[in-house]
Amino acid sequence: MAKRDYAKGSIPYGFVSLPKDIIQSSEWQTLPPSAIKLAIDLMSQYTGKNNGRLCPSITVMKQCGWKSSKTLLDAKSALLECLFVVMTRKGHPPSTAEWVGFTWWRLDYDREMDIDPAKFPYLNFINLIQATNKSAPIKLTSVVQNLKRLAPKQASACSVSEAMS
């Protein structure tokens, strides 16, 4: 029998995940196009082990097609005003770069970060959606409650279907 070169259900290319709730939120929809582009470029840096170390510096962003430092600065400011993006390290050019993280992924803590890992607002966008949609779906609420009850390592390995049960 021939060995298969693929895993069942695997995708032969990289991709970024973005919760639909974020896309449908008023915060995302009011972002300027440059901030959305920056968010997508930052998400493309995510390897699965580096949330919180995503770098929005002009040096890194030039590789993604950014040319204007002013446009990048404006986009970064708009993005950091959102509740689902957190600055994890303040940069001090040229020696250190600024880092950000998205709150729909767990923080991959590094001792060089300026943030307390216990205070990282993981899944805070769900609370934002519940606050704006006063009638939050019961299933979503129970998923959040189940994830909060689990230890951090268990919650990161837990799938949504497991949390819903």
Side-chain angles (χ1 to χ4, degrees), residues 5-148:
D5 291 336
Y6 62 91
K8 183 177 181 182
S10 70
I11 301 173
Y13 51 83
F15 67 96
V16 295
S17 63
L18 181 60
K20 287 182 183 179
D21 293 330
I22 294 289
I23 296 170
Q24 295 167 352
S25 72
S26 60
E27 272 196 302
W28 181 267
Q29 293 178 359
T30 57
L31 282 174
S34 59
I36 292 173
K37 164 106 168 75
L38 177 60
I40 291 169
D41 288 342
L42 288 170
M43 285 185 278
S44 71
Q45 292 179 18
Y46 184 60
T47 64
K49 299 177 186 176
N50 66 337
N51 187 38
R53 292 176 300 198
L54 308 174
C55 182
S57 73
I58 188 66
T59 308
V60 174
M61 291 293 116
K62 279 184 180 179
Q63 299 169 0
C64 298
W66 290 82
K67 293 178 177 71
S68 169
S69 296
K70 170 90 171 89
T71 305
L72 179 61
L73 185 62
D74 292 344
K76 184 170 44 173
S77 296
L79 201 56
L80 287 172
E81 288 176 10
C82 295
L83 292 176
F84 47 80
V85 180
V86 176
M87 182 184 300
T88 57
R89 182 172 81 171
K90 178 78 174 143
H92 301 287
S95 58
T96 58
E98 189 171 82
W99 289 344
V100 298
F102 292 102
T103 62
W104 60 83
W105 293 321
R106 286 209 170 271
L107 177 68
D108 298 304
Y109 183 72
D110 186 290
R111 59 182 171 75
E112 294 180 22
M113 290 181 183
D114 297 334
I115 189 171
D116 179 8
K119 294 183 181 176
F120 183 72
Y122 178 58
L123 296 178
N124 72 335
F125 71 92
I126 293 175
N127 297 332
L128 169 71
I129 292 162
Q130 288 177 352
T132 57
N133 298 343
K134 300 294 181 196
S135 60
I138 294 171
K139 285 185 178 180
L140 185 61
T141 305
S142 64
V143 168
V144 174
Q145 290 170 349
N146 287 341
L147 284 174
K148 286 181 180 177

